[in-house]
Amino acid sequence: GWPDRLARLTGPGLAVVNLASPGSWLCTENPVGPIPSLVSQVSTAVTKEAEGGYLLVLGGRNDLTHVTDTQLRQAVTDIAAAAAAHGMVAAFVTVLPVNDRTGYRALTEPQRRRFNSWLQATFPHLVVSADPVVDRDRDGQLDRAFDAGDGFHLNEAGSDALAAAAADLVRANGWPLG
């Protein structure tokens, strides 16, 4: 996926660990089952790392409609605080668009837009905006050229595009790459 591609683009100086595989929740209020939240995983992961460093978090649609906007915002605030407590800088990727054929888009799109807007306003220089990357025709949907076939997940081209945008954020913030 895109985290592996990001690691290749930025070189060996940036450790990339994908905490979201095989699925995760941003928030701790998980109504579905034993999937760990990113909040809990980040807290554990940063304590294992040396002081200082950088963290890039992509929240998925798993949380949307199951938790409130306030809970989503608190999860991000908690992640940023856990990183800062260890001298790390947290950055974020906005929640990706999906396309209409999923049937889930209409249900989640209003909350996705509110959350992404808040994220970009709260962390203006520490956000990769996914929409211009994977919704190039600006219709609010994941472009088919980047769709793995399920309307939700990125294919190789989508992963390449998102990794390149994330690498741009890494470079723009002067994060050491080697």
Side-chain angles (χ1 to χ4, degrees), residues 90-157:
F92 302 91
V93 179
T94 59
V95 177
L96 303 175
V98 297
N99 62 44
D100 278 338
R101 67 190 164 113
T102 67
Y104 191 58
R105 182 174 176 270
L107 185 63
T108 60
E109 191 62 16
Q111 189 176 27
R112 181 186 85 88
R113 287 182 186 265
R114 286 190 310 271
F115 176 70
N116 285 351
S117 292
W118 172 84
L119 193 63
Q120 291 169 315
T122 305
F123 301 94
H125 304 292
L126 295 170
V127 174
V128 174
S129 181
D131 285 50
V133 176
V134 296
D135 176 20
R136 292 187 178 162
D137 61 5
R138 297 180 184 189
D139 67 353
Q141 301 183 63
L142 175 63
D143 289 349
R144 291 198 187 261
F146 300 125
D147 183 351
D150 62 3
F152 285 98
H153 296 97
L154 299 176
N155 61 15
E156 288 187 29

